[in-house]
Amino acid sequence: LKISRQLRHSPSSREIPHTLCQASTRYFGSFNNAKKKAGLDTNKIKYNKIRKSAYNISEDFAYVLGVEKGDGHCFLRRSEHGTTAGITLKVKDVDFADHFKKVVERWSGIKSRLYKVKNSNLVRVDLSSIEVAKFIKSFDMKNILGADKRVRNKFLQGLFDSEGGVVSKNLDNRKYAIRRIHFFNSDKTLIDIISFLLNELNIRHKLKKRRNSGFGSKKLQYSILIHDKNSIYNYFRNVNFNIKRKK
């Protein structure tokens, strides 16, 4: 009450000492509950609501989900100061970040932020929304398997834009030519889903695993390799990339 008189308004958690905020949470369950007991106005939780159509399994959502399972990150953090949540993508390809920004905004109906990360060659996309985070985190991946073909293909595109790549060497010399599309991930369940979807498209591929990923990690990593010419053609015809350097 003393602080509210000094500020001439109901204080936020950032305007009071950290120890007082901790005590409020310990004895009343939350800072807002403590303010109610003191007869002060409470601050309503602010969050960005997604459009109703976003709950449908669409091509845009499938792409966003694929990116989130790859280079993207969906977060939901609760603390004594409140809840922060949303989805973020940090990459070096500006065209990838720009495309993701357009798709995630079109799907959710919420504006995101694209900016360059300081002291690096990376760009980042941030979208803040508790609803987005909850929906993505609770989504049952089995629903992708039974989705429309175009939806499944967009899911694959999001994944391969994130963690896929292309190798092409000596294409003018058939004997020494090397061409392949690859994908790396440590989630075996995700690898199995991708393998199933590729088989549905008649894209032949090999599955491999290794312990040393080359990034100092000892975690078991799985790879999907697409080698033969017809399968590579099927991949580009059905899935493709949005990143210029991978096309």
Side-chain angles (χ1 to χ4, degrees):
L1 287 173
K2 183 179 178 181
I3 294 174
S4 66
R5 293 193 196 101
Q6 292 173 343
L7 295 173
R8 295 184 179 181
H9 65 258
S10 180
S12 70
S13 59
R14 291 180 175 82
E15 295 174 314
I16 66 171
H18 182 65
T19 52
L20 179 57
C21 190
Q22 283 184 319
S24 300
T25 303
R26 183 163 56 250
Y27 292 109
F28 298 98
S30 71
F31 181 54
N32 271 346
N33 286 342
K35 290 204 292 184
K36 285 180 183 177
K37 282 286 185 180
L40 298 172
D41 292 333
T42 57
N43 300 320
K44 293 182 179 180
I45 298 175
K46 297 178 181 179
Y47 61 95
N48 293 323
K49 296 185 68 174
I50 60 177
R51 63 180 77 203
K52 291 182 179 179
S53 61
Y55 288 101
N56 300 325
I57 305 177
S58 62
E59 292 178 45
D60 283 342
F61 169 68
Y63 182 81
V64 170
L65 183 66
V67 172
E68 192 275 332
K69 297 300 178 186
D71 286 335
H73 174 60
C74 187
F75 62 95
L76 182 63
R77 306 186 192 100
R78 293 184 175 89
S79 71
E80 60 196 29
H81 296 296
T83 301
T84 57
I87 186 170
T88 184
L89 174 69
K90 186 163 63 174
V91 290
K92 65 180 180 181
D93 295 287
V94 178
D95 54 346
F96 179 23
D98 186 58
H99 181 72
F100 177 74
K101 182 181 189 298
K102 291 175 182 176
V103 175
V104 75
E105 288 182 356
R106 190 168 61 217
W107 162 65
S108 66
I110 300 170
K111 289 292 183 183
S112 63
R113 181 181 171 219
L114 171 63
Y115 59 97
K116 189 180 185 302
V117 180
K118 289 183 179 180
N119 303 319
S120 76
N121 63 341
L122 302 175
V123 290
R124 178 167 174 156
V125 178
D126 287 336
L127 185 144
S128 299
S129 171
I130 294 175
E131 283 194 27
V132 164
K134 285 183 175 180
F135 181 55
I136 291 177
K137 282 182 171 291
S138 64
F139 183 78
D140 187 348
M141 292 295 294
K142 292 179 182 177
N143 291 325
I144 286 292
L145 299 178
D148 178 84
K149 178 182 176 181
R150 291 174 298 180
V151 170
R152 299 197 305 264
N153 290 354
K154 282 297 179 181
F155 173 66
L156 288 173
Q157 189 180 80
L159 284 164
F160 277 81
D161 274 354
S162 292
E163 298 191 327
V166 179
V167 175
S168 56
K169 297 179 181 179
N170 305 319
L171 297 184
D172 55 342
N173 188 328
R174 186 173 181 181
K175 184 178 179 180
Y176 298 102
I178 298 174
R179 62 168 73 85
R180 71 170 178 268
I181 297 170
H182 57 256
F183 178 87
F184 299 101
N185 199 279
S186 59
D187 186 341
K188 182 60 166 61
T189 300
L190 180 63
I191 289 292
D192 289 340
I193 290 174
I194 296 170
S195 181
F196 173 84
L197 296 177
L198 291 176
N199 285 331
E200 290 288 292
L201 296 171
N202 292 318
I203 298 175
R204 292 193 296 173
H205 55 281
K206 293 180 179 179
L207 298 178
K208 292 187 177 182
K209 58 184 178 181
R210 60 178 179 173
R211 181 68 63 181
N212 184 4
S213 65
F215 299 98
S217 174
K218 294 182 179 179
K219 196 173 184 179
L220 190 63
Q221 188 180 60
Y222 302 90
S223 61
I224 292 177
L225 305 174
I226 304 170
H227 284 282
D228 74 90
K229 187 176 181 180
N230 288 335
S231 292
I232 291 174
Y233 173 76
N234 279 343
Y235 173 85
F236 279 102
R237 184 165 61 90
N238 290 283
V239 182
N240 211 338
F241 293 101
N242 286 292
I243 303 174
K244 188 179 293 185
R245 68 180 175 86
K246 293 184 179 183
K247 290 186 176 180

